[in-house]
């Protein structure tokens, strides 16, 4: 079945983010997410899950193991399991990206203070 944000039920996350689950199985999750300007996710890690983030629109700042990385459209970053990370939208435009998790990250998140 063809999937898109048009035929997938959105959910809210964080303070003002939105997500559209495009694939949602125990072994694999693919979500299109939107982060408004000036928003950020909490610093966290996943014990089992590895993730790949791919920027569709805008620019993202990732903090990965205390190092900052800026990713622009058509760029991605692989986050291995156990690695502390955070995504931020430090721009004045919406950030739209894909996050691919294997296995899915539900229940595998540890917030880092």
């Amino acid at each position: 079945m063809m999937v898109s944000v048009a035929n997938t039920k959105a959910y809210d996350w964080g303070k003002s983010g939105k997500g559209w689950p495009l694939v949602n199985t125990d072994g694999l999750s693919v979500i299109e997410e939107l982060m408004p300007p000036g928003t950020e996710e909490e610093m966290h890690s996943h014990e089992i899950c590895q993730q790949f983030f791919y920027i569709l629109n805008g620019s993202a700042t990732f903090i990965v193991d205390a190092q900052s990385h800026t990713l622009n459209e058509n760029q991605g970053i692989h986050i291995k399991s156990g690695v502390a990370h955070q995504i931020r939208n430090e721009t004045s435009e919406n950030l739209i990206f894909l996050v691919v998790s294997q296995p899915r990250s539900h229940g595998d998140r540890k917030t880092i203070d």
Side-chain angles (χ1 to χ4, degrees), residues 2-10 18-22 31-34 56 96-98:
M2 191 280 298
V3 295
S4 72
V5 297
N7 68 1
T8 303
K9 183 176 173 156
K18 284 219 171 284
W20 293 265
L22 304 174
I31 302 170
E32 184 169 324
E33 295 194 352
L34 178 142
L56 299 173
I96 301 172
F97 59 96
L98 293 177

Side-chain angles (χ1 to χ4, degrees), residues 35-61:
M35 289 180 72
T39 59
E40 63 183 34
E41 185 180 36
E42 295 177 316
M43 180 67 70
H44 67 282
S45 65
H46 300 279
E47 186 175 321
I48 299 169
C49 169
Q50 63 177 321
Q51 294 183 306
F52 179 74
F53 292 83
Y54 189 80
I55 309 305
L56 299 173
N57 185 65
S59 178
T61 300

Side-chain angles (χ1 to χ4, degrees), residues 57-75:
N57 185 65
S59 178
T61 300
F62 282 86
I63 308 301
V64 181
D65 270 345
Q67 293 186 340
S68 180
H69 307 273
T70 300
L71 276 72
N72 297 304
E73 291 177 19
N74 303 313
Q75 293 181 318

Side-chain angles (χ1 to χ4, degrees), residues 23-38:
V23 176
N24 188 18
T25 68
D26 288 341
L28 177 67
S29 169
V30 179
I31 302 170
E32 184 169 324
E33 295 194 352
L34 178 142
M35 289 180 72

